Amino acid sequence: METLLKTTLYASLLLAASHNIARAEQIDAGAIEIQTTSLSQAVSKISPRHSQIALLAMDMSSNQVIFSQQAETLFIPASTQKLLTAVSAMAQLGPDFRYITELWTDAPIRKGHIAGSAYLRFSGDPTLTQPDLKAIFASLVKQGINRIDGHLYLLGDKQEQMQAPGWVWDDLGICFAAPVSSYIINQNCVYGQFNPSTANKPSQVSLRTGSYGVKVSSDAVFDPKASREFCQLDLVRLAQNNYHLRGCYPGGEAIGLAIAVSDPFKFAQDNLTSLLKGEMSLAGKVKLGTSLPKKAKLIASHSSAPLPELLDAMLLKSDNLIADSLFKQLGKSYFNAQGSFTNGAAAMQRILTELGVDLSNANIVDGSGLSRYNLLNAQQLAAVLALIHKDSRFSPLMTSLPQAGISGTLRYRMGYNKPPLKQQIFAKTGSMQGVSNLAGFIRLPEHSDTLFVVLENGMSPELKHQHKPSFNAEFLKQLISVLQVPSPTTAALSTAAHSVQD
């Protein structure tokens, strides 16, 4: 009897709860309107006066738009473009994809000698380092091979497209815009230091070990008292990985330099020439190869980390070289042709369209977001984020997004390293001069995920000197405050569950 009474009571409470929930869902439609109104009022107060913004926020459990402003207007996406690269790469290349660097020979091996030439085929691996190459030749030594009687030919793509259209010219000598080549060693980047003058020496540049073949001359000076009205450094790129530093630096302390090589093949040639001196004997020279002989056989290789690990580094660190190397791989895989920015763009457009992302009027130029010619709107970025959230093929990418105050490019960002944003925001940043974007998710305890896109273009460079939280941080604070107000449906469910337990 007691069990029957409990069952009847439970059914009655559930029936009452269902009526309450139905009523609450009707109220929720009004609640969304209230949230939208509240956000509209907040946005009108905090919106920047001199730049353009686009906003979109969506509840992922109901797919209801909470807020939208200029969501169809095209903006420069900067590094939020990498979200498109990540999804496209997972769809086209698959999680098992790796870059493979291979050593081949068509010559017989006699008494520890390769009786002829060897061929080192590069694959555009953006993570390949000189120690990785050293390990390839060390594996030959373990096999008892210690001499190449001919030449070592380096094989890569011919007449490569190493920069995308729309890359800023004065970025090209800096490591974050290193050339995207099939020949990549140490991210095609060298590091050094510009040192102030002393009693015995003028100001000069010193390069770290590993800067093979790279030379930097300088007639630049330091201005310790910042007395010059116009004072800035200028790095001039010359042929054969030569550079000249000119101008002045307002200060008296040494500063670090991160210089992108301009000739990736020569950098690889100089690296291998130096490396082989310590690993094995080479009778000939390190030279440019044209093709792999038909009868060649594989004798050693190096594999990169699998694609998920590459994407993890790309998204967390906003690594441009990984992004654009994968972008060219998309073109290579999709069209079965040498990869380029041109066919990479076409491949990405088709892959994402096939996945249901409407890229009408968008302009895709590269995979990193470095190009000023890229154009996306908030709805298109939101569609890509929705794939990450709901499609099991892409959901692992969620853990690769920087987490506010915890990881990646959001670890130390102002406004994100303390409550209410700390730990609650998982998003891809997108910043360059005049651009500050953010696209990702708010993940609150006991609340469904909220997708958001905040795009801001046309920012004044003067804002950098004000040391204030960005507009996107202020908007997300307002959004979280609205989301934390309990909805009628949640309250009805909680009341029903509590009544049944009682």
Side-chain angles (χ1 to χ4, degrees):
M1 179 65 73
E2 184 179 349
T3 302
L4 179 61
L5 287 172
K6 283 185 176 181
T7 303
T8 304
L9 176 61
Y10 184 81
S12 298
L13 287 170
L14 281 180
L15 181 61
S18 66
H19 287 307
N20 289 338
I21 292 168
R23 182 171 177 273
E25 286 174 344
Q26 292 176 348
I27 297 171
D28 264 353
I32 291 291
E33 290 183 17
I34 293 171
Q35 288 177 333
T36 301
T37 301
S38 177
L39 278 170
S40 293
Q41 293 171 348
V43 168
S44 66
K45 294 178 181 178
I46 64 174
S47 288
R49 294 177 57 193
H50 304 294
S51 55
Q52 299 80 46
I53 57 172
L55 304 169
L56 184 63
M58 178 185 297
D59 185 296
M60 295 308 293
S61 63
S62 65
N63 289 327
Q64 284 188 299
V65 174
I66 300 169
F67 190 79
S68 178
Q69 179 176 317
Q70 292 204 102
E72 295 183 8
T73 303
L74 294 171
F75 282 72
I76 297 173
S79 283
T80 59
Q81 181 89 1
K82 293 183 176 74
L83 293 168
L84 281 68
T85 303
V87 169
S88 300
M90 284 294 284
Q92 179 65 27
L93 304 177
D96 296 328
F97 170 81
R98 296 171 184 259
Y99 290 93
I100 311 294
T101 306
E102 301 170 326
L103 184 65
W104 298 71
T105 187
D106 61 342
I109 299 174
R110 303 188 184 118
K111 297 181 180 180
H113 289 209
I114 295 175
S117 294
Y119 303 82
L120 185 63
R121 184 160 68 182
F122 286 78
S123 61
D125 181 354
T127 63
L128 185 70
T129 64
Q130 198 194 50
D132 294 331
L133 291 171
K134 186 175 181 179
I136 288 177
F137 291 96
S139 71
L140 293 186
V141 174
K142 287 181 180 179
Q143 297 175 48
I145 302 171
N146 52 35
R147 179 178 170 84
I148 299 172
D149 290 338
H151 301 296
L152 175 64
Y153 289 100
L154 307 186
L155 304 177
D157 290 340
K158 301 171 184 177
Q159 297 180 334
E160 293 186 295
Q161 188 182 15
M162 294 189 292
Q163 285 97 18
W167 283 16
V168 177
W169 174 258
D170 49 2
D171 285 347
L172 298 183
I174 305 171
C175 283
F176 67 74
V180 187
S181 170
S182 50
Y183 303 105
I184 299 176
I185 302 174
N186 297 343
Q187 298 184 306
N188 282 345
C189 176
V190 299
Y191 296 92
Q193 190 166 271
F194 180 42
N195 302 299
S197 60
T198 64
N200 300 320
K201 292 182 180 179
S203 300
Q204 59 182 354
V205 173
S206 59
L207 296 177
R208 292 185 197 171
T209 302
S211 305
Y212 302 102
V214 177
K215 297 177 181 178
V216 183
S217 60
S218 173
D219 59 5
V221 298
F222 283 80
D223 182 13
K225 297 181 180 179
S227 57
R228 304 188 186 198
E229 185 176 2
F230 302 105
C231 181
Q232 65 180 34
L233 288 176
D234 183 21
L235 183 68
V236 181
R237 298 186 301 135
L238 307 172
Q240 299 286 298
N241 291 332
N242 291 324
Y243 305 83
H244 182 71
L245 190 67
R246 64 187 181 188
C248 73
Y249 178 74
E253 299 293 327
I255 60 169
L257 300 174
I259 302 172
V261 303
S262 56
D263 187 337
F265 168 73
K266 184 177 185 302
F267 187 58
Q269 184 182 37
D270 291 336
N271 263 273
L272 268 301
T273 298
S274 175
L275 184 153
L276 286 174
K277 289 179 181 177
E279 290 300 316
M280 62 169 47
S281 175
L282 176 66
K285 295 181 179 180
V286 179
K287 306 177 73 172
L288 176 64
T290 55
S291 62
L292 190 65
K294 291 182 179 179
K295 295 182 179 181
K297 59 183 179 180
L298 182 66
I299 54 175
S301 67
H302 168 78
S303 298
S304 74
L307 181 63
E309 291 184 37
L310 297 175
L311 295 178
D312 187 67
M314 180 191 80
L315 292 172
L316 278 175
K317 300 176 183 178
S318 202
D319 191 299
N320 296 322
L321 189 60
I322 293 176
D324 284 320
S325 295
L326 288 172
F327 189 74
K328 291 175 75 172
Q329 282 291 322
L330 291 177
K332 179 179 180 180
S333 173
Y334 196 93
F335 294 107
N336 193 28
Q338 178 176 309
S340 68
F341 284 98
T342 303
N343 61 23
M348 180 180 283
Q349 185 102 16
R350 294 189 189 186
I351 292 163
L352 291 175
T353 299
E354 290 164 6
L355 289 170
V357 179
D358 183 1
L359 291 171
S360 300
N361 300 313
N363 196 42
I364 294 174
V365 179
D366 65 15
S368 63
L370 277 174
S371 175
R372 294 275 175 172
Y373 296 166
N374 290 311
L375 289 172
L376 293 172
N377 64 36
Q379 286 185 348
Q380 290 160 342
L381 282 166
V384 175
L385 287 169
L387 285 171
I388 292 173
H389 194 270
K390 296 183 176 182
D391 193 316
S392 60
R393 290 173 293 175
F394 313 120
S395 55
L397 295 171
M398 182 75 78
T399 59
S400 297
L401 294 174
Q403 183 179 9
I406 303 298
S407 63
T409 54
L410 285 179
R411 185 174 184 181
Y412 301 111
R413 182 161 295 201
M414 185 180 296
Y416 290 90
N417 53 6
K418 59 183 179 181
L421 303 186
K422 185 176 181 180
Q423 297 183 321
Q424 315 298 343
I425 306 297
F426 295 78
K428 183 69 200 76
T429 53
S431 303
M432 57 173 55
Q433 183 161 304
V435 176
S436 180
N437 303 330
L438 197 69
F441 304 93
I442 300 173
R443 312 197 85 175
L444 299 174
E446 300 180 2
H447 195 286
S448 60
D449 290 346
T450 301
L451 180 155
F452 69 86
V453 179
V454 185
L455 304 178
E456 183 179 4
N457 283 193
M459 296 170 57
S460 168
E462 293 298 320
L463 292 176
K464 284 186 177 181
H465 307 303
Q466 295 180 11
H467 302 292
K468 293 180 180 179
S470 60
F471 165 72
N472 52 55
E474 296 301 324
F475 171 75
L476 292 177
K477 290 176 186 177
Q478 296 294 332
L479 180 54
I480 286 177
S481 69
V482 167
L483 295 174
Q484 288 177 329
V485 177
S487 71
T489 302
T490 303
L493 284 168
S494 178
T495 301
H498 183 70
S499 299
V500 172
Q501 289 172 359
D502 291 345

